[in-house]
Amino acid sequence: MLLLYYMRKAIIGILALSVLLSGCGNASKTAHEKDSGAFRIVSYNVGAFGKFMGSSIPMIADMVKEAGADVVTLNELDSCNSRHGINQVAALAEKMGWQWFFGRAMPYAGGSYGNGVILPKKCKILNEYVIALPKGAGSEPRSVAVVETDEYVIGAVHLDYANEGAAIGQVKVINEWMSAHFKDSQKPVFLCGDMNAKTDSKVIAALLKDWNMLSSGELSFSSAEPSECIDYIFHYKRSAHVRKVSAHTLATFRKGDVTKASDHLPIYVDVMF
């Protein structure tokens, strides 16, 4: 009986140790681990870093680091206006130790408002473009901020939310511009952002003529009570092939509260190219 007692104690100790080690192992990993060699694209409508707090820039910098992003596209950015007196994408990039590009969509409150891209300083930027999109019967001027590196091309876009016809017209301009600049590109071309359109909409159907949808289609808005997918990552069909590894909406972080950082959830796609 004594031997059985000590055997039970030993087994319980081993099980407890294994649970402890397992917990420590999980804690040491990023919350969104990616495969070795995968390239992670994150797209995030950050709501001018001020939907629910004074500035979510420090929080989102931590979230981006935790997510293991290799490039991030951003929507709803202020630049040196009276609402936020700083260039927000530059401030985020500084926190990250990265480089940045801001694409103005329209003048706003004595400064600008638009989209942006941040990427590590090791990446070689070859060109930067702003594609002005027609307003049509929509709410306000829109644009695409495009960065061309030596390995890939990526654009950050925020389509019109008020009028589907206006958004479709904006998609037409994007497709025409991409065909003129990157048709048959030897580098992959990506388009990311808040399309303000559900997966079964005419806007997404218009995009799918020239683009493959890489993102998961999981709900991305609102961050507190997700009920719609309106944020996407696409790959241009007429550019270099990529292999999709995984795609998800990011709803939890160890550092950062997605319900406070913005009214959208960030999304990511992992690809190989």
Side-chain angles (χ1 to χ4, degrees):
M1 292 293 292
L2 189 60
L3 178 60
L4 183 59
Y5 170 79
Y6 282 114
M7 287 178 64
R8 286 176 178 170
K9 292 280 284 185
I11 291 170
I12 291 171
I14 291 169
L15 289 174
L17 180 61
S18 66
V19 170
L20 179 62
L21 291 174
S22 174
C24 289
N26 290 337
S28 67
K29 293 178 180 178
T30 173
H32 315 286
E33 192 171 11
K34 63 181 176 182
D35 291 350
S36 176
F39 182 83
R40 177 161 294 179
I41 303 167
V42 170
S43 180
Y44 200 1
N45 181 329
V46 294
F49 298 103
K51 289 288 184 179
F52 309 114
M53 54 195 306
S55 174
S56 60
I57 289 175
M59 180 187 291
I60 288 178
D62 286 339
M63 290 163 59
V64 169
K65 291 173 185 176
E66 183 180 332
D70 293 297
V71 62
V72 183
T73 64
L74 302 158
N75 306 126
E76 294 194 24
L77 297 170
D78 281 347
S79 178
C80 303
N81 56 40
S82 60
R83 181 167 64 174
H84 295 103
I86 61 171
N87 181 327
Q88 290 187 316
V89 68
L92 178 63
E94 184 178 359
K95 284 277 185 187
M96 299 285 300
W98 284 17
Q99 54 188 326
W100 59 274
F101 174 61
F102 173 74
R104 180 172 122 159
M106 65 177 187
Y108 180 77
S112 301
Y113 175 82
N115 307 289
V117 180
I118 61 170
L119 61 165
K121 288 184 177 178
K122 66 181 180 181
C123 298
K124 183 178 180 181
I125 295 178
L126 301 181
N127 287 296
E128 298 168 336
Y129 311 90
V130 178
I131 309 171
L133 302 179
K135 178 178 177 292
S139 59
E140 58 193 25
R142 302 279 170 152
S143 71
V144 190
V146 181
V147 171
E148 179 185 2
T149 77
D150 57 340
E151 295 185 342
Y152 62 89
V153 179
I154 193 162
V157 64
H158 187 195
L159 296 180
D160 191 83
Y161 76 93
N163 184 284
E164 187 174 62
I168 291 171
Q170 291 166 356
V171 169
K172 181 182 178 183
V173 170
I174 293 169
N175 290 343
E176 290 173 349
W177 190 94
M178 290 294 176
S179 179
H181 289 78
F182 292 109
K183 182 180 178 181
D184 301 320
S185 170
Q186 298 304 301
K187 295 180 284 193
V189 179
F190 305 100
L191 181 69
C192 316
D194 178 359
M195 307 300 171
N196 277 311
K198 297 181 181 180
T199 53
D200 60 351
S201 67
K202 292 180 181 178
V203 175
I204 299 304
L207 278 161
L208 290 175
K209 292 177 182 178
D210 284 8
W211 302 83
N212 295 310
M213 191 172 83
L214 297 178
S215 46
S216 65
E218 296 169 350
L219 306 180
S220 63
F221 181 84
S222 69
S223 58
E225 296 181 357
S227 60
E228 298 179 325
C229 173
I230 57 175
D231 299 273
Y232 301 86
I233 297 173
F234 292 94
H235 168 254
Y236 189 47
K237 292 179 180 180
R238 300 179 183 181
S239 67
H241 174 74
V242 297
R243 179 171 66 86
K244 177 179 169 179
V245 178
S246 64
H248 287 292
T249 296
L250 304 177
T252 59
F253 290 85
R254 291 196 304 272
K255 292 184 176 182
D257 182 347
V258 291
T259 67
K260 300 293 190 297
S262 175
D263 57 344
H264 287 246
L265 295 172
I267 65 171
Y268 80 83
V269 167
D270 288 349
V271 293
M272 300 279 194
F273 60 87

